[in-house]
Amino acid sequence: MEHPRSPVLELEKAIAGCAFRIAPERESELAELRDVNNLMLTLVDEPGFNIRVRLVEREIMINVAALEFLWASAHAHLILYNEYGLAQRSGSSTFDTGGTDRSRKAMELLAWAGRNALVNGTDLWPTALPRPERFPAEKSDGHVTNELFLCALAWIIHHEIAHIRLNHQALVTTCSIAEEKDADVAATKWILDKSTVQQESRKRTFGIAAAILALQGLP
Ligand SMILES: [Zn+2]
């Protein structure tokens, strides 16, 4: 990566390894798949949410703005879920998504990441808002967000790998809904089928949910 300009790239090593780490019981299987197909992950600077696979080259392309949006989205959903629970437990009858400094910043960050992805994808991360760190304090918002983000990204990467595993055709102009669904199912099965620890499966499922929420929330 030539431009380590974004704090999300502090997680670059974890990003590179997340497809393995989400399902360690299938690590050797994935390593074989990677080696047989000569799979590559490439980070690029582009606007939009552009995680995709070049089927012929077997190259998974990930743009930095998409990583930023995915982190901001995982963070916002985590904070809102948590603040909502706090409001409920304190007996509040209404819930304001920007009602605390913590939730207001989370929503501001999500709005920034959405705008950035929409415009040029290279805006600097706002200094006053929460940001990814490589070594956040244990169980802090930053720590939980990193884990959610990495699980979400792993599912998206497994979706792209599934296009290769399932021998999907490199159609440039036609987007096949059936192939997209098949890739979603294959990625989910890869991540959950051989997980034997309930807590682990739950964490992975939260990650998948975070990915879907981010994709649904794209500007
Ligand atoms: Zn796809």
Side-chain angles (χ1 to χ4, degrees), residues 69-209:
F69 183 77
L70 192 58
W71 195 92
S73 173
H75 176 258
H77 286 102
L78 171 75
I79 301 300
L80 287 185
Y81 178 79
N82 192 258
E83 290 278 339
Y84 185 82
L86 290 172
Q88 215 173 25
R89 281 195 292 280
S90 73
S92 304
S93 55
T94 56
F95 177 65
D96 177 0
T97 54
T100 63
D101 187 52
R102 185 174 172 236
S103 61
R104 187 180 48 74
K105 282 183 172 163
M107 296 310 283
E108 270 179 37
L109 181 65
L110 182 59
W112 167 79
R115 270 197 315 274
N116 175 48
L118 211 57
V119 184
N120 54 13
T122 52
D123 272 4
L124 288 181
W125 195 285
T127 47
L129 298 179
R131 56 175 50 217
E133 291 173 83
R134 194 163 170 201
F135 301 110
E138 191 78 12
K139 293 188 178 163
S140 61
D141 289 344
H143 180 216
V144 181
T145 301
N146 282 357
E147 293 299 309
L148 259 183
F149 160 78
L150 290 167
C151 288
L153 180 62
W155 183 72
I156 293 173
I157 292 174
H158 274 289
H159 168 107
E160 304 306 343
I161 295 174
H163 281 309
I164 294 171
R165 286 200 287 131
L166 302 174
N167 243 325
H168 288 165
Q169 298 307 306
L171 296 176
V172 181
T173 51
T174 313
C175 172
S176 158
I177 291 176
E179 284 186 350
E180 290 311 315
K181 275 190 181 162
D182 288 349
D184 282 349
V185 171
T188 306
K189 286 171 80 63
W190 183 283
I191 287 169
L192 293 177
D193 271 6
K194 295 188 180 172
S195 173
T196 52
V197 182
Q198 207 191 357
Q199 277 287 92
E200 247 315 300
S201 299
R202 187 178 300 166
K203 177 181 170 186
R204 296 178 195 185
T205 305
F206 280 140
I208 296 170

Side-chain angles (χ1 to χ4, degrees), residues 4-17:
R5 51 158 186 86
S6 167
V8 84
L9 297 175
E10 281 207 30
L11 309 178
E12 195 173 352
K13 278 212 175 81
I15 287 166

Side-chain angles (χ1 to χ4, degrees), residues 13-79:
K13 278 212 175 81
I15 287 166
C18 70
F20 288 91
R21 212 186 115 207
I22 194 167
E25 70 278 6
R26 304 187 79 161
E27 217 170 82
S28 56
E29 218 179 321
L30 184 57
E32 197 185 323
L33 200 67
R34 177 197 58 201
D35 296 342
V36 167
N37 291 292
N38 209 2
L39 281 182
M40 271 195 311
L41 275 188
T42 305
L43 292 181
V44 288
D45 256 335
E46 288 171 0
F49 193 96
N50 264 338
I51 302 181
R52 64 196 186 278
V53 61
R54 297 168 72 206
L55 285 167
V56 176
E57 295 81 2
R58 302 196 177 299
E59 186 178 21
I60 295 166
M61 315 289 289
I62 301 176
N63 68 319
V64 176
L67 294 175
E68 292 175 328
F69 183 77
L70 192 58
W71 195 92
S73 173
H75 176 258
H77 286 102
L78 171 75
I79 301 300

